[in-house]
Amino acid sequence: MKLGIVGLPNVGKSTLFNAITNAGAESANYPFCTIEPNVGTVAVPDRRLEFLADMYKPKKFTPAIIEFVDIAGLVRGASRGEGLGNKFLENIRRTDAIVHVVRCFDDDNVIHVEGKTDPIRDIDIIDLELIMADLEMVNRRLDKVQRAAKGGDKKLRHEAEVFEALQKHLDGGKSARSFEAESDDDAELIATSDLLSLKPVIYAANMDEEGIANYERNGYYRAVKERADAEGAQVLPICAKTEQELTELDDEERAMFLAELGLSESGLDRLIKCSYSLLGLISFLTAGADECRAWTITRGTKAPQAAGKIHSDFERGFIRAEIVAFDDLKACGSMAAAKEKGLVRSEGKEYVMRDGDVTLFRFNV
């Protein structure tokens, strides 16, 4: 999974990126200090995997991974090449979802490129630039399809009709995410265009320390949440500065600091949960003396396709999956005890994987 961190200049993008990846991206109080997209990979915290590692003492321990890309601040006119322009729109295009950092604090010492704090205006600026870039792409696609459809091909005529409707929608300043396709096939057709405003969004409402302590009373946060709820997006209250401070503490100090703020988890943990929920992802686990590993799949994936995540031969020669729910395995204390209690199930090709399934695939090629 690859998440692109975007937002206007000086809203806290690079500070947040530094905090969650410890990658050391440059952070400065002026626009465009991020020129090339900084990339950092983060292991997904999973206590289930840690428990299995304690149980099996494997040679190798492999958690799931999320890749974060810190993309330079966009400004008005980016879709026309203003600021650092289209280059960064292309960086967004290569991500699975967008983490849109929105400034929700006032500070005269930190320059705001638009003059003052207004999170909804800031969201609108970024959205419009993505929509304008998408409109240009849809116009090109539509022009090509319309020319090809002159031969009378019904499939191409229908494609032209779909993109004409989408073009009108985007031209009205609305994101591709909010476009209601008439069928699943039409939605899949639109998805082939790799549109920026079609990508799922998490709004990271970046507050100061005072604001995060009572974020539900923060007017800026409430405005962002209302916007997120209206468009089916996720919203994450966070303080980038605090997250950066947390990286300098040991586990005990970190827990105490979070407790003082009334938080049970770090911003990274909450961001990962938001990401999995937004993208409809779950993890299944494999465990043994050689390796304990978490595998990320889309919710609804069947057992053979999950096996294919490990190796194509596993899917091609799939026989069955031997599965025990993690909670059952933990309660029993060992795989042998779980088998004795009949909790290890044999599942076939139609089995839909569940989050936390501890799985052994049987196959033959």
Side-chain angles (χ1 to χ4, degrees), residues 260-302:
E260 290 175 4
L261 294 173
L263 301 172
S264 59
E265 297 176 300
S266 71
L268 173 59
D269 290 343
R270 290 182 288 119
L271 177 55
I272 289 172
K273 287 183 177 180
C274 278
S275 304
Y276 270 66
S277 174
L278 184 70
L279 295 173
L281 302 176
I282 61 172
S283 293
F284 72 90
L285 310 166
T286 54
D290 287 334
E291 183 180 31
C292 287
R293 182 163 182 168
W295 303 85
T296 301
I297 55 174
T298 303
R299 189 177 298 277
T301 298
K302 292 183 178 179

Side-chain angles (χ1 to χ4, degrees), residues 50-84:
E50 293 171 4
F51 179 87
L52 292 175
D54 287 340
M55 177 184 291
Y56 285 95
K57 303 295 190 293
K59 298 174 184 175
K60 193 175 180 182
F61 176 87
T62 311
I65 294 294
I66 292 182
E67 191 171 283
F68 288 95
V69 184
D70 179 27
I71 297 166
L74 297 171
V75 294
R76 291 184 190 272
S79 60
R80 303 188 305 274
E82 295 294 330
L84 291 167

Side-chain angles (χ1 to χ4, degrees), residues 8-12 28-31 103 105 107-117:
L8 292 175
N10 298 341
V11 297
N29 184 23
Y30 58 90
R103 178 165 162 175
F105 64 89
D107 188 339
D108 293 337
N109 295 317
V110 180
I111 300 165
H112 193 295
V113 71
E114 289 290 322
K116 65 177 183 178
T117 303

Side-chain angles (χ1 to χ4, degrees), residues 112-234:
H112 193 295
V113 71
E114 289 290 322
K116 65 177 183 178
T117 303
D118 184 342
I120 301 305
R121 177 209 57 211
D122 294 355
I123 290 172
D124 286 340
I125 290 171
I126 298 294
D127 277 359
L128 183 59
E129 295 308 321
L130 301 186
I131 290 166
M132 293 299 291
D134 284 348
L135 187 57
E136 182 180 344
M137 179 170 283
V138 168
N139 287 339
R140 291 199 302 267
R141 172 81 174 256
L142 183 56
D143 182 59
K144 181 179 179 181
V145 173
Q146 285 174 332
R147 287 199 306 270
K150 288 180 180 179
D153 187 299
K154 290 183 179 180
K155 185 177 179 181
L156 289 173
R157 283 208 308 269
H158 177 70
E159 182 175 342
E161 290 170 359
V162 170
F163 279 95
E164 282 172 359
L166 179 58
Q167 180 192 53
K168 184 177 180 180
H169 181 83
L170 293 170
D171 203 34
K174 300 173 184 176
S175 71
R177 287 189 305 278
S178 62
F179 180 74
E180 295 184 8
E182 293 186 3
S183 69
D184 290 342
D185 287 342
D186 289 354
E188 290 178 10
L189 182 62
I190 291 169
T192 63
S193 291
D194 198 20
L195 300 177
L196 298 172
S197 69
L198 192 61
K199 292 185 181 295
V201 175
I202 298 170
Y203 291 113
N206 185 25
M207 290 168 269
D208 56 20
E209 292 177 346
E210 182 179 350
I212 193 68
N214 296 286
Y215 67 86
E216 291 182 348
R217 297 181 183 179
N218 184 299
Y220 293 143
Y221 168 77
R222 291 202 304 269
V224 174
K225 187 176 189 310
E226 184 177 337
R227 173 65 170 264
D229 290 345
E231 60 183 53
Q234 298 268 4

